[in-house]
Amino acid sequence: MAVLLLVLALCRPVSLLERDDAHVLFLVDVSESVNLDAALEVLDLVEAAVSDLRPKDSYDLAVVADGCRVVENAAALRALIVSWQEAFVDDEFRQASRLEESLREARLRFPASKAKRVVLFSDGHETHGDLALALSTLAQEGIDVRWHSLESLAEAEAAVVALEASSASAYEGETVRLRVDVAANRAMDARLRLVHQGVVAQEQAVSLKAGTQRIDVDVPMLTSGDGVWVAEIVSSADHFPLNNQLRTTVKVIGKPRVLALHEESRELRNFVRAMKQQEIEIEVRGVRGLPESLEEMLAFDAILFSDIPATALTESQMALVKRYVMDFGGGVAMVGSENSFGLGGYYQTPVEEVLPLVSRFEKEKQKPSLAMVLVIDKSGSMQGLPITLARQAAKASVELLGARDQMGVIGFDGEPQIVSELRAATESAAIHAGIDSLSAGGGTDVYRGMLAGKELLDHALAKIKHMIVLTDGQTSDADFVGLLQAMNDRAITVSTVALGEEAARELLASIAELGRGRYYETMDPASVPQIFTKETMQASKSAIKEDLYAPVIVGDHALLSGYAEEELPFVLGYVMTEPKPTARVLLGLETGDPLLALGNYGLGKGMAFTADLTERWGSEWLAWAGGGRFWAQALRTLLRRADTQGMEVVTSVQDQSRMWSVDVRRVDVQQRPLAGITWEAQALDEQGREQAVEVRETGLGRYAMRVPLGDHEQLTLRLRDRDHDLVKVLHYHRPYPREYMLGDEIPEALRQTPAFEMDALLEGLQPSVARTSLTPWVAFGALAFTLLGLLLRRL
């Protein structure tokens, strides 16, 4: 018997007993689409239901929105809901309704030995997942689900739920119909606006009714390029502003469109007028005019930097310019000025990478020698990125100096520290070593740092003596006026850089004014290297030549066709540069310096003209009868190519999987399918981050891509047929969260779910089967019989 029971124990026997103990999980939807007052009311039902549970029963309470969160009890949830009602800013947790995900998580809350029931309090508005699939899974696992309908948002609400153009592309001057679907939960008066390039293009009064209605607006396409149109509904009775806008992109085919950047827009009036006669549209913008998104940049066929310093651009903007040329075939040109090339701070920037000419050059022997001292704040507030970029900027300044120039570097906190004595720029290794020793820590005393810099420059024999002061903080009062007067007496000039909001901007501006230098102000540490390189070249007075110079044709290109060298106008000045090894120098000057150069960069082109297009250096070119035709041909050489004939594209967005589907049909000029194409596809997000996209051949001449959208606000997809060198650019704009979209119907699977009844909280539950292990008892029996057997043998 002992052996038999031991064998039985190894088989792990169990007893199966039915139990009617229950565990109830209450899920309360608290997403933005729900009326929170209604959610508070159901808490009374929850508390009453909990009080009716039997002693062996148990429960959990959780809230449902962008996930599932368990709360301690109804009182805690009531306090949480009240805090949401009183909050000024919406909680991100409430901006979605993940009902499927929450129900699947609910399965993990149930003990194995109890009957299982879920009570879902929700308006049925689902934004993610497949609720029907979750309900089916729970039913298969023996979990009973009951539904109690919650009242949806009670406040007046209107939303733009769809925006579609009658055509994805149009010709300039063509009228396109924009179809705007607007939903409201009650009748209200509103205004519908269509915004293009930040300007309200059309506005009309509309009377909204409860439900969804379509409003058609006919809009003339007056500007060529990829135009972004925004539909916006405005109503004083509206509750959520987040769902009032949607946007779409319409590609307008028309005149070439060029963006020109100049500090003084009026200086380019003559050039703009000449280009207009040549059927090229020039849009002139000021220092803040460069687009901050790739999509806005792609609205232009080329970008012309005329008189804009690098310090006016952000690091991300310059990176986008590089991407615009390299990956999207755009064209970038730069013309000479005091804010161009190295003078403008473009040394070793992404913009300089695109151009065929660079800022590096050998300083002329007849130019006066320069002694420059960098006075750099190394206080504790400069810790991390600021001090790193300050070191980088100082090193870049060294590289721009000539053999006869000198540089010294002083770091200051509460006390000045000479990290590099005034030494020849040819001793760059020693200067770099001193710069590398700069480390942040301590207070800020600008005066003592400047005084130490003055003492270094007092002993210099250079013709030009200059100091650059960089700080990000406040400083104690001191006799700056007396110090600057003494520096003026010694012909020492001072420029200042205010970094960040805490810098003593008024003081630094006054120092630069009294020191006969220049004042710079920036909130971004990444712009410090551009400021230093610009200031170094300005101070050295070595990058500009002003005189009468005759152009010389030194290269062969179609844009020079029909022009004789003797008919080309003189230039009155230019910026000194040198060509890259891959550059094609088309026009030079009698001095041997380049005047006009062209170069390829990725899929696009870069062009550089070292004189300018204003009256200062280019007056002869503006007055020349052939000037308009010459520059029109030059710009047309630069323009982005957008020929995608034979490439038919259909796009769609799958909300549940957050996937952007792109299907392409590729045919030749005779409409025959093209198979085996070599594709290159890349998606770029709003931050300029890149992800490769796989292109699959799905049929004869048919190709498909699936681009994961994630949480990106916008994506730009570049699709290139490498065999035929065709590029197609597509744009995706993320709509507002579906939680704020009106008009969604309750899923049918939820409609068929049994309703929750307070009096039948536990009715209809299938008893659970409790599995109790008998192994310990059987093993104990085997032991007992073994002992009994031993006892009987002894008797």
Side-chain angles (χ1 to χ4, degrees):
M1 182 60 70
V3 172
L4 289 175
L5 289 176
L6 184 59
V7 172
L8 182 60
L10 293 174
C11 295
R12 297 182 180 180
V14 296
S15 65
L16 303 178
L17 297 176
E18 284 192 353
R19 300 176 57 180
D20 62 354
D21 299 347
H23 185 88
V24 182
L25 176 60
F26 299 97
L27 297 178
V28 182
D29 188 347
V30 293
S31 59
E32 291 282 12
S33 63
V34 169
N35 183 357
L36 289 181
D37 288 334
L40 285 173
E41 291 176 5
V42 302
L43 290 182
D44 296 332
L45 292 178
V46 172
E47 289 177 325
V50 169
S51 65
D52 289 343
L53 294 176
R54 298 164 300 189
K56 292 186 178 182
D57 296 332
S58 57
Y59 80 98
D60 276 314
L61 176 61
V63 291
V64 176
D66 191 9
C68 183
R69 295 180 183 176
V70 177
V71 294
E72 184 177 355
N73 51 44
L77 178 53
R78 183 176 283 107
L80 182 61
I81 292 176
V82 170
S83 70
W84 283 331
Q85 289 178 319
E86 296 175 350
F88 179 75
V89 180
D90 295 335
D91 193 307
E92 290 186 6
F93 175 68
R94 300 184 59 218
Q95 295 182 1
S97 296
R98 298 181 182 270
L99 299 182
E100 180 202 6
E101 179 181 318
S102 300
L103 287 174
R104 290 188 179 278
E105 287 186 25
R107 301 153 55 214
L108 306 177
R109 303 296 306 178
F110 289 105
S113 59
K114 294 186 178 182
K116 307 172 182 65
R117 170 160 288 171
V118 173
V119 180
L120 176 63
F121 300 94
S122 175
D123 63 349
H125 185 88
E126 183 185 23
T127 61
H128 297 77
D130 188 344
L131 180 59
L133 184 60
L135 290 172
S136 174
T137 301
L138 266 63
Q140 292 173 8
E141 297 179 358
I143 302 175
D144 185 74
V145 180
R146 300 300 168 96
W147 173 50
H148 180 87
S149 179
L150 273 183
E151 180 185 345
S152 294
L153 185 69
E155 285 85 353
E157 180 59 25
V160 179
V161 296
L163 172 62
E164 182 182 0
S166 59
S167 175
S169 61
Y171 287 94
E172 187 175 353
E174 181 181 351
T175 297
V176 172
R177 174 161 293 181
L178 297 180
R179 303 185 180 98
V180 187
D181 289 345
V182 181
N185 61 358
R186 66 184 64 179
M188 67 176 72
D189 292 329
R191 299 193 69 81
L192 176 65
R193 294 174 179 168
L194 289 176
V195 182
H196 179 53
Q197 293 184 345
V199 178
V200 177
Q202 287 198 26
E203 182 173 357
Q204 64 184 66
V206 292
S207 296
L208 302 180
K209 301 176 182 178
T212 303
Q213 62 193 82
R214 170 164 291 182
I215 303 171
D216 291 337
V217 185
D218 294 330
V219 181
M221 298 291 114
L222 303 178
T223 306
S224 60
D226 292 345
V228 179
W229 288 86
V230 179
E232 179 181 18
I233 195 74
V234 181
S235 174
S236 59
D238 190 40
H239 181 67
F240 289 124
L242 187 62
N243 58 3
N244 290 1
Q245 288 187 352
L246 283 179
R247 59 185 63 205
T248 189
T249 301
V250 179
K251 181 175 181 60
V252 181
I253 305 167
K255 298 176 184 177
R257 190 164 176 234
V258 177
L259 172 63
L261 302 171
H262 197 291
E263 277 193 325
E264 300 292 338
S265 300
R266 63 179 181 273
E267 295 291 335
L268 290 178
R269 284 179 297 183
N270 293 334
F271 178 71
V272 171
R273 190 180 302 115
M275 292 302 97
K276 187 175 182 180
Q277 294 173 353
Q278 299 294 324
E279 299 295 316
I280 294 179
E281 179 185 345
I282 305 288
E283 181 175 330
V284 182
R285 297 183 182 179
V287 290
R288 306 299 175 193
L290 185 66
E292 295 184 355
S293 72
L294 183 60
E295 183 173 2
E296 294 177 9
M297 205 171 284
L298 288 170
F300 299 94
D301 300 302
I303 300 174
L304 175 64
F305 290 83
S306 181
D307 190 10
I308 293 291
T311 52
L313 311 179
T314 65
E315 190 176 14
S316 62
Q317 282 178 310
M318 288 193 281
L320 283 179
V321 170
K322 177 181 174 180
R323 181 78 66 182
Y324 167 78
V325 178
M326 181 174 66
D327 292 333
F328 293 87
V332 166
M334 181 174 286
V335 299
S337 73
E338 290 188 352
N339 286 316
S340 300
F341 304 106
L343 274 176
Y346 289 100
Y347 176 63
Q348 292 186 343
T349 65
V351 174
E352 188 187 60
E353 288 186 45
V354 169
L355 298 173
L357 303 180
V358 294
S359 310
R360 292 176 288 275
F361 58 90
E362 290 297 329
K363 191 173 175 183
E364 288 183 297
K365 293 180 179 179
Q366 65 267 30
K367 290 292 182 181
S369 57
L370 167 70
M372 185 165 70
V373 171
L374 305 181
V375 181
I376 299 175
D377 185 350
K378 67 179 189 73
S379 61
S381 59
M382 290 287 287
Q383 189 75 35
L385 182 62
I387 194 66
T388 301
L389 290 172
R391 288 195 293 261
Q392 176 186 331
K395 291 179 181 179
S397 298
V398 177
E399 296 178 20
L400 293 172
L401 296 179
R404 300 170 60 234
D405 298 330
Q406 296 175 296
M407 174 175 281
V409 182
I410 293 174
F412 70 90
D413 41 33
E415 297 286 338
Q417 175 190 356
I418 300 176
V419 299
S420 177
E421 292 283 355
L422 197 65
R423 49 170 48 97
T426 52
E427 301 178 49
S428 58
I431 301 176
H432 284 189
I435 292 170
D436 286 334
S437 68
L438 275 174
S439 59
T444 305
D445 193 332
V446 176
Y447 179 83
R448 300 188 69 176
M450 291 179 59
L451 184 61
K454 173 185 176 297
E455 292 173 355
L456 283 183
L457 291 172
D458 281 343
H459 299 90
L461 301 177
K463 297 290 186 182
I464 302 173
K465 301 179 182 181
H466 188 62
M467 180 187 299
I468 303 176
V469 181
L470 167 70
T471 181
D472 70 341
Q474 300 289 331
T475 186
S476 55
D477 293 336
D479 185 16
F480 286 99
V481 174
L483 175 60
L484 290 166
Q485 183 59 54
M487 294 174 75
N488 287 340
D489 293 343
R490 301 300 298 269
I492 301 173
T493 56
V494 185
S495 292
T496 57
V497 183
L499 175 60
E501 295 182 355
E502 300 300 322
R505 286 177 282 186
E506 291 185 5
L507 173 63
L508 294 174
S510 299
I511 291 174
E513 182 179 358
L514 294 173
R516 295 177 296 177
R518 288 159 291 275
Y519 169 67
Y520 301 88
E521 184 177 306
T522 179
M523 300 296 144
D524 183 9
S527 65
V528 171
Q530 283 75 52
I531 293 174
F532 270 46
T533 56
K534 172 180 169 60
E535 181 62 19
T536 301
M537 297 191 73
Q538 290 276 5
S540 67
K541 304 182 183 299
S542 60
I544 289 178
K545 281 190 171 184
E546 290 186 303
D547 206 333
L548 202 62
Y549 300 100
V552 179
I553 296 178
V554 295
D556 183 25
H557 195 276
L559 75 85
L560 298 176
S561 178
Y563 298 101
E565 185 173 285
E566 56 271 13
E567 69 176 296
L568 296 176
F570 288 92
V571 296
L572 306 180
Y574 67 94
V575 179
M576 294 175 62
T577 59
E578 65 180 15
K580 293 180 179 178
T582 57
R584 298 180 64 182
V585 179
L586 306 183
L587 296 179
L589 295 165
E590 52 195 344
T591 59
D593 293 316
L595 176 62
L596 176 66
L598 188 67
N600 294 325
Y601 190 81
L603 298 178
K605 293 183 176 67
M607 180 182 289
F609 182 68
T610 56
D612 72 354
L613 297 174
T614 68
E615 294 293 335
R616 180 179 179 183
W617 295 338
S619 57
E620 297 293 322
W621 284 77
L622 294 174
W624 177 35
R629 186 168 64 89
F630 178 89
W631 284 113
Q633 181 60 23
L635 289 179
R636 287 192 172 98
T637 302
L638 200 65
L639 297 179
R640 181 164 62 100
R641 300 293 181 256
D643 182 13
T644 55
Q645 184 177 1
M647 192 186 298
E648 301 173 8
V649 179
V650 177
T651 65
S652 62
V653 175
Q654 302 167 9
D655 288 333
Q656 301 295 342
S657 60
R658 297 295 298 149
M659 197 69 68
W660 186 17
S661 299
V662 181
D663 297 295
V664 181
R665 180 172 176 263
R666 188 72 178 89
V667 297
D668 61 14
V669 292
Q670 297 178 340
Q671 297 299 305
R672 294 176 300 189
L674 292 175
I677 296 292
T678 303
W679 294 98
E680 181 183 284
Q682 296 170 317
L684 287 89
D685 64 13
E686 61 275 7
Q687 303 296 328
R689 293 171 296 200
E690 176 185 311
Q691 59 174 317
V693 178
E694 180 186 4
V695 182
R696 296 179 293 106
E697 188 166 5
T698 58
L700 189 60
R702 296 187 179 275
Y703 305 85
M705 284 152 284
R706 299 294 180 265
V707 184
L709 296 173
D711 294 326
H712 297 304
E713 292 296 327
Q714 63 185 46
L715 285 177
T716 299
L717 177 65
R718 181 182 71 92
L719 179 62
R720 180 188 180 196
D721 175 354
R722 298 185 64 178
D723 296 338
H724 303 86
D725 200 23
L726 298 183
V727 176
K728 180 76 173 179
V729 178
L730 303 171
H731 304 286
Y732 162 79
H733 299 277
R734 182 185 181 185
Y736 52 80
R738 284 192 59 196
E739 185 64 32
Y740 300 92
M741 186 171 290
L742 300 180
D744 278 7
E745 295 184 356
I746 297 175
E748 184 62 26
L750 189 59
R751 288 183 181 276
Q752 295 177 1
T753 300
F756 168 67
E757 297 178 7
M758 181 64 192
D759 297 334
L761 176 62
L762 301 177
E763 289 185 10
L765 281 176
Q766 296 180 357
S768 63
V769 178
R771 299 166 61 91
T772 304
S773 175
L774 298 178
T775 300
W777 297 102
V778 176
F780 179 76
L783 178 62
F785 276 103
T786 300
L787 295 175
L788 182 59
L790 292 173
L791 181 62
L792 289 175
R793 288 190 186 94
R794 291 186 178 274
L795 296 177

